[in-house]
């Protein structure tokens, strides 16, 4: 099943399940399974969702989406984690994942215009898959890692490359407002038969820029969870953004950055397509 957080036709905020192009309300204004999708994930309510056929419904088309999982505390991102991206950067092999943090107030929904900051002339896309932690995770072994994953969603880790490269650390380039788009759908891990078979495709104005399967990750998801939870405690609802494939604008010839009016799509098999129009402001 695919779940979404969205606005009702009268402007209220709810969440529900998508089925055949229709959203069925499972929030307080509908079947009242849980106050929010995050609450449903944390309480385990998604394991026993009632039949949704009688729930208030609305078409996906025209719906205003919210950040798919709200109330996130920690957002941990893994950099240079696909072989094709490592090759285009020219970086050497490293023994441990490259890790940086993204602030939770940068998260932004599917379908909303996303800002290109006036302070950046090198704004770039990074299509990724984000995983949502389902239970407290600290010093988790790779053998137990998937037990701590609640589900997955598409993510775009927009990056101000000029700010990212001011010094050796990346945080300024990764934390402008509206730079972490997340959604439109959340899919429980139990509904994904083989995570490594999922494929990411990023398009700008319809042109394919990135394409890879999660099998191409350098540090796979269990390795990421094991490494990250060694140095920080993750709580239910926290997310790890798992890396981007080669094909980012910075390493095109010539480098090609996002412009006002560009439409960026991140399509992930089984997870849906995350779409944002860029607006310079």
């Amino acid at each position: 099943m695919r779940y979404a957080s969205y606005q009702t036709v009268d402007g209220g905020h709810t969440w529900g399940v998508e089925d055949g192009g229709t959203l069925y309300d499972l929030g307080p204004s509908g079947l009242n399974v849980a106050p929010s999708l995050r609450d449903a994930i944390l309480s385990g309510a998604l394991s026993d969702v009632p039949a949704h056929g009688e729930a208030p419904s609305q078409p996906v088309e025209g719906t205003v989406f919210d950040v798919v999982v709200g109330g996130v505390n920690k957002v941990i991102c893994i950099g240079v984690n696909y072989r094709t991206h490592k090759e285009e950067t020219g970086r050497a092999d490293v023994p441990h994942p490259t890790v940086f943090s993204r602030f939770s107030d940068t998260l932004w929904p599917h379908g909303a215009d996303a800002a290109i900051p006036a302070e950046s002339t090198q704004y770039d896309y990074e299509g990724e898959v984000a995983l949502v932690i389902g239970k407290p995770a600290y010093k988790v072994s790779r053998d137990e890692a998937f037990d701590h994953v609640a589900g997955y969603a598409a993510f775009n880790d927009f990056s101000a490359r000029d700010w990212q490269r001011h010094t050796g650390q990346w945080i300024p380039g990764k934390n402008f407002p509206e730079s972490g788009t997340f959604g439109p759908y959340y899919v429980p891990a139990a509904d994904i038969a083989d995570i490594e078979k999922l494929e990411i495709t990023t398009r700008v104005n319809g042109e394919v820029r990135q394409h890879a399967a999660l099998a191409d990750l350098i540090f796979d998801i269990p390795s990421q969870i094991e490494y990250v939870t060694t140095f920080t405690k993750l709580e239910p609802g926290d997310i790890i953004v798992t890396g981007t494939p080669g094909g980012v604008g910075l390493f095109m010839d010539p480098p090609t950055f996002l412009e006002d009016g560009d439409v960026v799509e991140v399509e992930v098999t089984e997870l849906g397509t995350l779409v944002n129009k860029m607006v310079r402001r």
Side-chain angles (χ1 to χ4, degrees):
M1 304 296 284
R2 305 199 302 184
Y3 299 93
S5 299
Y6 60 95
Q7 296 184 28
T8 61
V9 293
D10 60 2
H13 295 269
T14 193
W15 69 281
V17 62
E18 183 272 336
D19 188 358
T22 298
L23 292 165
Y24 294 88
D25 192 343
L26 303 181
S29 54
L31 297 185
N32 201 22
V33 172
S36 69
L37 178 52
R38 181 177 185 273
D39 290 321
I41 295 168
L42 271 56
S43 68
L46 296 184
S47 63
D48 190 27
V49 173
H52 56 264
E54 299 302 317
S57 64
Q58 63 190 71
V60 169
E61 186 175 357
T63 289
V64 176
F65 284 78
D66 293 327
V67 171
V68 63
V69 179
V72 175
N73 181 26
K74 292 181 181 178
V75 183
I76 305 295
C77 301
I78 310 300
V80 196
N81 197 33
Y82 280 79
R83 292 171 180 82
T84 51
H85 189 38
K86 182 182 77 70
E87 290 166 2
E88 70 182 359
T89 67
R91 290 174 177 260
D93 291 342
V94 292
H96 305 293
T98 299
V99 181
F100 60 94
S101 57
R102 170 177 281 286
F103 305 141
S104 60
D105 64 1
T106 66
L107 299 184
W108 200 242
H110 160 76
D113 291 350
I116 300 175
E119 297 81 4
S120 176
T121 59
Q122 299 181 3
Y123 208 62
D124 209 349
Y125 51 85
E126 291 191 4
E128 313 204 18
V129 169
L131 66 86
V132 181
I133 294 294
K135 63 182 181 179
Y138 186 52
K139 296 185 179 180
V140 175
S141 71
R142 62 171 291 114
D143 291 340
E144 298 175 336
F146 279 123
D147 294 339
H148 295 262
V149 179
Y152 304 92
F155 199 94
N156 199 329
D157 181 37
F158 287 111
S159 305
R161 300 298 188 193
D162 35 10
W163 282 75
Q164 182 182 348
R165 302 171 96 187
H166 281 174
T167 65
Q169 46 76 25
W170 295 359
I171 288 177
K174 298 288 189 172
N175 281 286
F176 278 90
E178 306 175 13
S179 60
T181 57
F182 186 27
Y185 300 117
Y186 164 88
V187 177
D191 293 350
I192 304 292
D194 186 348
I195 188 65
E196 290 194 344
K197 289 185 178 180
L198 299 192
E199 296 184 359
I200 301 172
T201 304
T202 306
R203 294 180 289 268
V204 178
N205 301 325
E207 176 189 4
V208 174
R209 298 282 184 86
Q210 297 179 288
H211 181 77
L214 267 70
D216 295 336
L217 287 169
I218 298 170
F219 297 99
D220 63 10
I221 285 171
S223 298
Q224 294 177 40
I225 292 173
E226 181 178 57
Y227 185 80
V228 169
T229 64
T230 301
F231 71 84
T232 190
K233 295 179 180 180
L234 297 181
E235 297 297 331
D238 290 344
I239 67 175
I240 296 177
V241 187
T242 57
T244 197
V248 300
L250 176 63
F251 296 108
M252 294 180 68
D253 185 16
T256 304
F257 299 106
L258 295 170
E259 299 181 356
D260 186 75
D262 284 348
V263 175
V264 185
E265 302 171 88
V266 178
E267 181 178 0
V268 182
T269 49
E270 301 189 46
L271 304 185
T273 303
L274 170 64
V275 183
N276 298 97
K277 180 181 179 181
M278 310 310 298
V279 177
R280 183 169 288 280
R281 54 185 177 217

